Amino acid sequence: EPEVTQTPSHQVTQMGQEVILRCVPISNHLYFYWYRQILGQKVEFLVSFYNNEISEKSEIFDDQFSVERPDGSNFTLKIRSTKLEDSAMYFCASTSPNRGPEAFFGQGTRLTVV
Amino acid sequence: AQKITQTQPGMFVQEKEAVTLDCTYDTSDPSYGLFWYKQPSSGEMIFLIYQGSYDQQNATEGRYSLNFQKARKSANLVISASQLGDSAMYFCAMREGMESGGYQKVTFGTGTKLQVIP
């Protein structure tokens, strides 16, 4: 069963440092997303990405955030200068109109900013 | 305004009993999809079931069924014959603009924590 994979599963970083969260979406999927879930809270949309550009982004996705698909398989989320409030679980997801309506989620990366 | 509302922050159910998790939604888009995801304590998001706005029949997947009442804008999840492994957080979610293609984001509710009691 194809799946979305995320690395690392847990990252601890110092406040102000840059982090890159990595995702490998399902092969042949066309649309990619990042979501965030602060501990115990709802899952929030950050950004969607299609055809090598951002399709939509939320208010959370400010200039500190960027996304990239550097090769044909990886999809990354970069946080330039982390803040304490960036501590959360970050989920990558992918979809394809030819593969059913549901978004397939990775297992998440738990980011802890200290 | 909240697009997805889950009014039950926590629920208990006896093992082998059925349980209904409530979800109401708000949209003016005629083409939308409703989803339920399960999030166990390990953190991953597991897709359970999908209902399209134009689907005439309620969706079913094994022990999961979706009680879709379009006029009331509700999409309750019914889990039959609860098992201990069903203890988890359950999120109702919606994607609008389903006819436009596959990139519309999924909007989540706040979740319901289900605990199955032996």
Side-chain angles (χ1 to χ4, degrees):
Chain A
E1 183 73 42
E3 58 181 20
V4 178
T5 56
Q6 291 185 241
T7 54
S9 56
H10 190 190
Q11 173 124 22
V12 181
T13 189
Q14 293 260 333
M15 189 169 58
Q17 294 295 304
E18 174 183 287
V19 294
I20 298 176
L21 310 182
R22 302 180 192 281
C23 169
V24 179
I26 294 174
S27 176
N28 297 326
H29 276 198
L30 302 176
Y31 307 95
F32 314 110
Y33 314 81
W34 283 101
Y35 291 82
R36 178 180 85 174
Q37 184 183 31
I38 294 172
L39 187 63
Q41 298 187 25
K42 67 188 292 184
V43 180
E44 302 172 294
F45 168 76
L46 292 178
V47 65
S48 58
F49 191 85
Y50 169 69
N51 202 24
N52 281 321
E53 58 183 33
I54 291 174
S55 306
E56 185 179 358
K57 59 183 181 180
S58 70
E59 293 174 352
I60 303 168
F61 195 87
D62 60 22
D63 291 344
Q64 295 293 327
F65 293 90
S66 62
V67 289
E68 196 176 35
R69 190 158 158 82
D71 47 37
S73 58
N74 290 286
F75 178 51
T76 61
L77 174 70
K78 182 193 290 186
I79 310 175
R80 259 180 272 282
S81 178
T82 50
K83 304 186 282 281
L84 294 176
E85 54 264 38
D86 293 327
S87 294
M89 182 78 106
Y90 288 82
F91 290 102
C92 173
S94 68
T95 64
S96 170
N98 301 321
R99 301 283 290 268
E102 69 268 26
F104 292 85
F105 283 80
Q107 78 278 21
T109 293
R110 185 171 298 283
L111 176 66
T112 304
V113 182
V114 297
Chain B
Q2 294 289 333
K3 283 190 177 286
I4 297 286
T5 301
Q6 294 180 255
T7 57
Q8 306 153 315
M11 291 277 286
F12 290 92
V13 64
Q14 204 78 38
E15 194 178 6
K16 299 178 186 174
E17 296 291 311
V19 63
T20 298
L21 307 184
D22 294 341
C23 172
T24 57
Y25 60 91
D26 183 28
T27 181
S28 56
D29 193 323
S31 175
Y32 55 90
L34 297 157
F35 307 81
W36 278 91
Y37 285 86
K38 174 184 178 181
Q39 186 179 41
S41 57
S42 50
E44 71 268 33
M45 297 290 284
I46 302 168
F47 166 74
L48 295 178
I49 196 167
Y50 164 77
Q51 180 85 42
S53 59
Y54 295 123
D55 294 343
Q56 297 295 314
Q57 306 239 352
N58 285 345
T60 59
E61 287 286 346
R63 293 186 299 110
Y64 304 108
S65 60
L66 201 152
N67 184 1
F68 181 46
Q69 297 187 45
K70 194 170 182 177
R72 296 180 61 185
K73 293 190 174 179
S74 75
N76 299 340
L77 177 70
V78 180
I79 305 174
S80 62
S82 297
Q83 301 171 356
L84 295 178
D86 293 335
S87 294
M89 195 73 157
Y90 288 81
F91 289 97
C92 181
M94 177 173 66
R95 174 188 273 172
E96 297 169 288
M98 294 291 289
E99 289 176 339
S100 306
Y103 68 84
Q104 280 70 27
K105 65 181 183 290
V106 175
T107 302
F108 286 83
T110 50
T112 295
K113 185 170 184 178
L114 177 67
Q115 295 187 61
V116 181
I117 305 166

